[in-house]
Structures are given as C-alpha cells and as structure tokens.
Amino acid sequence: MKGFEVVLKSYLSKMKGGSRTLVKKPFSEIAWAWIGGFAGIFGVWWLNHWMGIQENANLFLIGSFGASAVLIYGVPMGELSQPRNLVGGHVISALVGVIAYNLFPDNVPLASALAVATAIAAMMATNTTHPPGGATALIAVVGGASVHELGWMYILSPVLVGVLIMLVVAVIVNNFSSNKNRHYPKYWI
C-alpha cells in the first residue's frame, strides 16, 4: 500500500504546476500580429468570394483557421507555428477527418472521437503537430452538409488552399517587423 501512496503522491504533484513570469508583448508585436491575422483571414475570405462561391459564402473560413492565425501571426517563432506544422498538420488532419466521417457517417460521436484522436497521433508521428489540426479533423465530421458534400475535396479546398494563403501572408507580414527576433519561418522543414 505504501508503494501506491508514493505513486499517487508523485502523480498528484505533477498537477500543481510551477511559477510563471508574464512578459508583456510590445505594442509593435501586437500590431504585427493583428495585421497578420486580419490579412490572413481576409485573404482566405477574398479568394472564396473571388472564386464566386455563393452557396456557401464562407465555406473557406473554417474555424480552425482562426486558431492557426493566433499561432502563425501571434507566435511566429513557436515550434507549432512553423510551415511544416501549419500545412502538414491541417492536411493530415483533414484527410483523417474525411476518412473518419466516411467510415462512420451515421455515428457522429464515434467519428468525431476517432478523427481527433487519430489526427493527434498522425501529426505526432509525422512531426507536423499543429493544434488547430484537431479542429480541422473535427470539422470534417461535424461541419454539416456543406462540408460533407465536398468529400475528399475538403482536403484541397478549403483546407490546403486556405493554409497556403495564410502561410504566404505569414511570410510577408511577419518579416516586416524591425524586431530581429521576429521572423517567419524559423525553418521550412
């Protein structure tokens, strides 16, 4: 019983966390993140509009792109913000999500759990972990008729096209900063 108590105490001690020092971001960094977020999301919407997609006017604007914008424009030097992670994470997760929906179209809870869990594992196995990818996989399952009608095309458009637009904007905007520690990408592959 003593061994169990030691293991339990060790396990519970991991939950208390440590100390943290919050460092306020300079206004210039906040401004560049805002400009990038605006330009990236507007660029994705603009392409959708330019292509004349009227039925689903905002189909290109999947929710996971908002989370990607936070990473690639707000934390451009972060490990999970890099191009390999952005593109690979979304594309792999979209593929996994479409497969999960096709396997279990009548069991949304099972397809959803399978899509997210498998997307996490696939991103980790391929070194493309990008947290918004989990949402991209989930959207393939719960996105409704407009997403399901896309079928395999969901992977190419809106996902791949959308992340490539956001990537181009990230490369352009993040390198305008005069801060030598803010550039994008940190590495490509």
Side-chain angles (χ1 to χ4, degrees):
M1 196 54 118
K2 183 119 173 131
F4 175 74
E5 290 173 6
V6 171
V7 170
L8 181 61
K9 185 175 181 178
S10 173
Y11 175 73
L12 293 174
S13 72
K14 293 178 181 180
M15 297 179 194
K16 67 180 175 183
S19 63
R20 179 177 172 196
T21 303
L22 295 175
V23 178
K24 187 175 179 183
K25 299 289 183 189
F27 177 76
S28 63
E29 294 301 300
I30 295 168
W32 284 118
W34 185 91
I35 291 167
F38 182 90
I41 296 299
F42 191 80
V44 172
W45 173 87
W46 180 84
L47 180 65
N48 184 78
H49 182 72
W50 178 75
M51 290 176 65
I53 301 173
Q54 299 301 322
E55 296 170 20
N56 302 303
N58 295 317
L59 185 58
F60 272 29
L61 291 175
I62 60 174
S64 55
F65 288 173
S68 289
V70 172
L71 288 171
I72 65 174
Y73 307 122
V75 193
M77 296 299 290
E79 185 77 19
L80 305 178
S81 304
Q82 300 310 305
R84 175 188 176 92
N85 300 72
L86 171 70
V87 177
H90 275 292
V91 171
I92 289 167
S93 296
L95 173 64
V96 166
V98 170
I99 290 170
Y101 178 75
N102 284 322
L103 287 173
F104 302 102
D106 298 324
N107 192 336
V108 172
L110 176 61
S112 297
L114 180 66
V116 174
T118 306
I120 292 168
M123 288 187 288
M124 290 176 72
T126 58
N127 290 318
T128 58
T129 303
H130 186 68
T136 297
L138 185 59
I139 291 165
V141 175
V142 301
S146 60
V147 172
H148 298 151
E149 288 170 10
L150 291 172
W152 299 102
M153 282 302 297
Y154 171 75
I155 301 161
L156 296 176
S157 179
V159 175
L160 180 60
V161 171
V163 297
L164 289 177
I165 291 168
M166 293 179 67
L167 174 61
V168 168
V169 171
V171 169
I172 293 169
V173 171
N174 285 327
N175 291 307
F176 273 122
S177 173
S178 60
N179 180 345
K180 67 180 178 181
N181 294 322
R182 181 188 179 95
H183 60 88
Y184 188 81
K186 187 173 171 181
Y187 51 82
W188 282 97
I189 299 178

